[in-house]
Amino acid sequence: MTAQEAIALIEHLLQSANKKHKLNDIQSLVLLETWQGHSYQEIADRLLYEYDYIKQVGSHLWRNLSQILGEKVSKQNLQAVLRRYQHSSAPNNCIQDWGEAIDVSQFYNRQQELETLETWISGNSTRSIGIFGIGGIGKTSLSVKLAQQIQSQFEFVIWRSLQQAPRLDVILSNILPILTGSSAAKNNSIHALMEQLRQKRCLLIFDNLESILQAGNRSGQYQPGYEDYGLLLGRIADESHQSCLILTGREQPGGFAVRSGENLPVRLLKLFGVSPPVCQQILADKGLKATLLQCQVLVNYFGGNPLAIKIAATTIKNIFCGDIHAFLAQGNTVFSDLWDLLDRQFDRLSPLQQQIMYWIAINQEGLTPAKLQAEILPKVSGRQLMEALESLSERSLIEYRRSGNKTASTTLMLQPAIFEYIIERLIQTAI
């Protein structure tokens, strides 16, 4: 959609809502400049107007559009909203196959992430997107919700789970007949899929990518027999086509981060925890009333992990009779379901990575990478340590924090729930 097409669409929307149907000159200019990515200050400087006036013109326009479209329209999401409306108002002949996609009718606010992902995809230049984060953070739900919202932009939407580690030939023999419209494709090769992605606009989603990756020291390496997935992902990222592949996982595949960038056709979204108001909504859906202050405590402790918050809510109802204050007062123990979730991630780590996790937990305050290398036993090379730290960071198991003083240094940290889990596990190992 061009800026002129956007102006025409907005005037049509204003007319259909019985508002004045033609933008005045200054509104058209603000829209045009906004479409090109300029800030209000830049627009004011270019058009020789006061900043406050330009902001007022824009805000009034976004407010009218929000009322007409029934969703919040802002300077940041204007293109994504209009493109989505344009596609949704056109006849939708999209062929969909959702496989084992989960139900997201109960979806907790990820509006900013959805807008970012839609913006990346709507320009038709993004070939691959990776959504990565710790288990339970909401990657799968986000991928399904996104695909539902943008399905009208594609001829085909195909969602597949890799949780059971299917071989690539199984995936291809399943997907290609859908794309070709035949009961069985004659050629189930990567080349055949690439031809389809060039000829048709397809949205493919591969969920739980970590299931086909090796556990151990270097994250992103494929299990034996699954290396052809790497060939496929590389070709989708590097070759010209009109489709998009979305990957979700706890770990990034090898070579993905190198290919990604703000101005590149491969984009990477690291998913973080939800906010206290969203936590409050999750608890309310479980029948619990919590203050925002209580939710802030829970978000800080669980890193805003929606699954961990749901698990905590079940414990609060069953063990503490719905008393959130009593649950918080007893010290936030890591209970069984959350322990199992962390166990699955910890067991995928190499002995060195596990040792680093223990070391960070023991030295929770002020442990820098340099100090860790000097003190950790048994001794490891700088290269081995940096590889292990990078892998742990990509798995969202450790955090880097930088102090704001003049002698700022980067320290290694664990989220409180992960810290408690590691300490408990260390105690069990010592018994």
Side-chain angles (χ1 to χ4, degrees):
M1 178 186 291
T2 66
Q4 294 304 321
E5 289 172 336
I7 290 174
L9 176 58
I10 289 174
E11 290 181 341
H12 169 73
L13 290 170
L14 292 173
Q15 184 180 25
S16 65
N18 295 321
K19 297 180 182 289
K20 64 178 185 178
H21 61 273
K22 189 171 180 60
L23 300 175
N24 61 35
D25 289 343
I26 186 61
Q27 288 175 322
S28 296
L29 287 170
V30 169
L31 177 60
L32 179 63
E33 295 285 332
T34 297
W35 198 265
Q36 294 173 349
H38 296 135
S39 68
Y40 284 136
Q41 188 61 62
E42 290 171 335
I43 297 172
D45 292 343
R46 289 162 65 92
L47 302 181
L48 302 179
Y49 281 94
E50 293 292 328
Y51 166 82
D52 289 341
Y53 176 64
I54 293 297
K55 184 177 180 181
Q56 181 182 17
V57 170
S59 298
H60 179 72
L61 187 55
W62 317 147
R63 188 162 54 250
N64 280 340
L65 287 173
S66 298
Q67 293 172 352
I68 295 169
L69 296 174
E71 65 174 297
K72 183 179 179 182
V73 179
S74 67
K75 189 175 183 297
Q76 288 70 34
N77 72 351
L78 175 66
Q79 290 198 25
V81 171
L82 290 184
R83 285 192 173 108
R84 185 167 68 249
Y85 176 82
Q86 183 187 47
H87 285 288
S88 64
S89 60
N92 182 13
N93 298 316
C94 175
I95 296 173
Q96 306 165 39
D97 190 314
W98 294 96
E100 299 173 342
I102 62 173
D103 176 26
V104 291
S105 56
Q106 196 75 16
F107 183 78
Y108 297 102
N109 182 30
R110 288 283 191 181
Q111 193 58 40
Q112 183 176 349
E113 291 87 347
L114 285 170
E115 289 176 3
T116 296
L117 293 164
E118 284 189 43
T119 300
W120 289 349
I121 292 172
S122 61
N124 290 3
S125 60
T126 302
R127 301 171 191 154
S128 186
I129 294 173
I131 304 174
F132 302 110
I134 196 169
I137 205 69
K139 304 177 294 296
T140 299
S141 298
L142 180 62
S143 73
V144 176
K145 190 68 173 181
L146 172 68
Q148 290 179 348
Q149 290 193 179
I150 64 174
Q151 59 184 274
S152 60
Q153 299 183 30
F154 295 87
E155 298 172 64
F156 293 85
V157 173
I158 301 176
W159 194 99
R160 288 294 179 266
S161 172
L162 303 183
Q163 190 168 22
Q164 301 302 319
R167 300 282 182 170
L168 181 61
D169 59 345
V170 174
I171 290 290
L172 293 177
S173 64
N174 179 269
I175 289 177
L176 280 166
I178 299 172
L179 299 180
T180 60
S182 61
S183 58
K186 296 179 180 179
N187 183 358
N188 292 326
S189 66
I190 292 176
H191 178 76
L193 178 60
M194 294 305 304
E195 283 297 313
Q196 293 298 315
L197 299 185
R198 278 189 281 269
Q199 295 171 15
K200 299 159 185 172
R201 180 140 169 84
C202 311
L203 178 64
L204 305 180
I205 304 99
F206 290 171
D207 188 51
N208 291 119
L209 184 70
E210 71 277 359
S211 301
I212 61 171
L213 301 178
Q214 292 184 35
N217 197 44
R218 298 186 64 184
S219 65
Q221 305 302 305
Y222 293 93
Q223 293 185 40
Y226 291 86
E227 295 87 353
D228 46 1
Y229 273 97
L231 297 176
L232 172 63
L233 302 191
R235 290 192 62 176
I236 289 176
D238 297 338
E239 297 181 16
S240 179
H241 56 82
Q242 60 174 323
S243 300
C244 184
L245 169 66
I246 296 176
L247 306 170
T248 79
R250 300 176 187 179
E251 305 165 22
Q252 300 175 29
F256 194 89
V258 174
R259 287 183 167 95
S260 66
E262 291 187 10
N263 299 310
L264 297 173
V266 177
R267 306 301 295 265
L268 191 156
L269 178 69
K270 190 165 184 179
L271 202 56
F272 296 101
V274 299
S275 64
V278 176
C279 173
Q280 194 174 42
Q281 182 185 351
I282 293 173
L283 295 176
D285 288 342
K286 298 284 282 187
L288 298 171
K289 293 183 178 180
T291 66
L292 280 177
L293 182 59
Q294 290 173 327
C295 290
Q296 183 67 67
V297 175
L298 288 170
V299 164
N300 290 344
Y301 183 73
F302 295 115
N305 188 304
L307 179 57
I309 293 171
K310 291 177 185 177
I311 294 172
T314 301
T315 300
I316 292 168
K317 284 183 69 72
N318 295 342
I319 307 300
F320 294 88
C321 301
D323 189 338
I324 297 175
H325 177 75
F327 171 79
L328 295 176
Q330 57 82 42
N332 303 321
T333 57
V334 178
F335 23 86
S336 60
D337 288 342
L338 180 57
W339 185 280
D340 292 341
L341 176 67
L342 294 172
D343 255 350
R344 289 193 292 273
Q345 296 218 178
F346 191 83
D347 290 342
R348 286 182 59 83
L349 303 181
S350 69
L352 174 58
Q353 290 170 340
Q354 293 181 358
Q355 182 71 1
I356 289 173
M357 295 286 286
Y358 289 137
W359 210 265
I360 296 174
I362 294 170
N363 302 272
Q364 182 72 347
E365 297 296 329
L367 183 64
T368 65
K371 185 179 179 182
L372 176 63
Q373 184 176 2
E375 297 181 355
I376 192 170
L377 295 173
K379 294 294 185 182
V380 296
S381 69
R383 179 186 61 79
Q384 290 175 311
L385 184 66
M386 289 302 107
E387 283 182 355
L389 288 174
E390 181 180 5
S391 179
L392 290 170
S393 178
E394 288 180 354
R395 289 178 163 109
S396 302
L397 290 174
I398 65 172
E399 298 176 355
Y400 291 93
R401 300 204 182 155
R402 189 170 179 82
S403 57
N405 53 45
K406 293 182 179 179
T407 59
S409 60
T410 301
T411 58
L412 303 168
M413 302 290 293
L414 303 175
Q415 291 177 7
I418 296 176
F419 167 77
E420 183 178 334
Y421 165 80
I422 295 298
I423 291 297
E424 287 289 331
R425 186 153 178 154
L426 185 60
I427 292 172
Q428 288 185 4
T429 302
I431 294 176

